[in-house]
Amino acid sequence: MSIVGRIERPAPADDVQLAAQRRQAARALLRRPFLTDDGSGGAADELRLVRRHRADLERLFAEGLGYRLVVEPRAARLFKAGLGRDGSRALRRGNAAGTPFTPRAYALLCLTIAALTRCKEQLLIDELVAEIRSAIADAGLDIDLESHTDRRALHAAIVALIEFGIVVERDGDLAGWADDARVQSLLDVRRERLRLLVARPVTNVETSDELLDVAALPSGAGGARVAVRRQLLESPVLSLTDMTDDQQEWWSRNRNREREWFRERFGLELELRAEGAAAIDPAEELSDSDFPGPGSARHVALLLLERLVDTTRSAALEAPASSRVWRPVAAADLDAALAAVHAEYLGALRRAYKDDMVLLRRDALDVLMSAGLIARSSEGYAVHAAAARYRARTTLADDGPSHERSLFAGSAPDSDNASFDGEG
């Protein structure tokens, strides 16, 4: 009798190296969907990798996520679809506070893009403002660029285009112009990149909501697979309550297989839990929002979250998975938890928070809501199961006969600065 064994041969070194390069290039595009050769942080090297593996990356994003990738000699653009009517990822101004764009700033950004399509490739800021005034008149909008507020909103829009590498300040003081319209600045316009910026035409779209809805539709070939993968990449906690019946059915059949798909292509690890899943980046590179981050408000938010998880944990573990994703927290319980944090850590708080609980409450809740860990509800508030990852004390518990752990009983990272987000 002979015994035939299967010999696992290691992949050739070249194949392993090429796979690592493709993964690095894909991560670069997730981190910077508008990748140029003059960007910071090694962007030129990343663009060379993207160009080298262009065909494989185009196929990966098209077939795996329904995204379109355009690669040119000096720039690459990954056209991501977004998540529809989700206002949690606003474009932010380049100031110290990172203030979110207002609707007026978004309008001025669109008007500036329209103006740049018909202006020369080098011009003074006054000439660009004249073109933008013309675009404002064509759109019939009530915007006064002589006012300080509107001029600062326009400045934020121009700075955003500078960060995208579409506009370059060659000379002058654009920051000074934001406060004084008499200050001049000389700008270069990279028109070949401008056409890569706008994700989709606005023809046959009547409202902003309709534009977002159309952009977020999964590709015709992808269906549930594309929608679920996008959710994990763009907002990396996947909740059962956010999935349609078709998506839940697909997920239940394929989730173990998806672990390998995300690991091989993007270097992400999927934590599969009873309430859904979380995509974790071990390298901590793909986050666009660190939680909790520095500052009293963020530290108080973390301590408050720990107490709220403790409050909801017992009831959550006894509930079915579908009703465990969001657990109710009464406003009185939240206020009591905040008061306990305030009393215990009073000496470590910034002065403004020591005597103003209303301000502390508002700022801590802003942090938690922006991270998607707390939401307002009819009963006051609700805490998401993923909040348990940030508990300082780790407790592991089996979830019934399947021994599938709940997010509410899940492990927490060792660092208080662990990133909640895993995409670009």
Side-chain angles (χ1 to χ4, degrees), residues 130-211:
E131 292 286 356
I132 294 171
R133 290 185 196 279
S134 176
I136 291 171
D138 291 344
L141 299 176
D142 181 18
I143 296 177
D144 180 11
L145 295 183
E146 296 299 325
S147 74
H148 181 72
T149 300
D150 283 347
R151 192 166 63 253
R152 290 198 68 81
L154 176 57
H155 173 262
I158 297 173
V159 168
L161 293 171
I162 290 175
E163 292 174 351
F164 286 135
I166 293 170
V167 174
V168 178
E169 186 179 18
R170 178 171 291 275
D171 194 15
D173 183 10
L174 184 61
W177 172 84
D179 296 312
D180 184 353
R182 295 171 296 180
V183 175
Q184 276 299 335
S185 176
L186 180 64
L187 307 173
D188 288 343
V189 181
R190 293 178 172 171
R191 199 182 300 259
E192 74 281 1
R193 295 182 182 176
L194 184 62
R195 61 185 177 80
L196 293 176
L197 181 62
V198 181
R200 60 174 293 112
V202 295
T203 53
N204 302 320
V205 176
E206 299 294 331
T207 67
S208 57
D209 281 344
E210 186 180 348
L211 178 62

